[in-house]
Amino acid sequence: MSDLKEKFQNAKENVIGKTNEALGKATGSEETELKGKIQSKKADVKDKFHDAKENVAKKINDKLDEKDES
């Protein structure tokens, strides 16, 4: 999945999760509220994992570039 597509998907899941959480609170449905919280947290974790992968890839590329310049 492309970076932009992955970011968009995670943002969409986060918004849907927050919406479900709010809906659960408004209707008094503990189950809907919990599902929304889980969906939102899952999207946050995926986003942080993606950022970490990108950071590691950048550091490796930077090191390889340094080696090539030597």
Side-chain angles (χ1 to χ4, degrees):
M1 192 181 305
S2 72
D3 289 345
L4 185 57
K5 189 174 181 180
E6 191 171 336
K7 286 277 193 183
F8 177 77
Q9 184 68 27
N10 289 340
K12 183 177 90 172
E13 288 296 318
N14 195 340
V15 168
I16 293 170
K18 295 283 186 190
T19 301
N20 285 335
E21 181 182 349
L23 180 64
K25 285 181 181 178
T27 60
S29 172
E30 294 289 330
E31 184 178 350
T32 301
E33 182 180 350
L34 178 60
K35 284 181 181 179
K37 285 180 180 179
I38 291 170
Q39 188 174 17
S40 180
K41 293 295 181 190
K42 185 177 171 184
D44 288 341
V45 168
K46 282 183 178 180
D47 205 32
K48 287 180 182 171
F49 179 71
H50 177 267
D51 290 345
K53 273 192 329 188
E54 284 296 314
N55 192 22
V56 168
K58 181 184 180 327
K59 287 182 180 188
I60 291 171
N61 280 326
D62 288 348
K63 288 292 182 185
L64 290 173
D65 289 344
E66 281 178 21
K67 188 175 182 179
D68 288 343
E69 291 174 2
S70 301

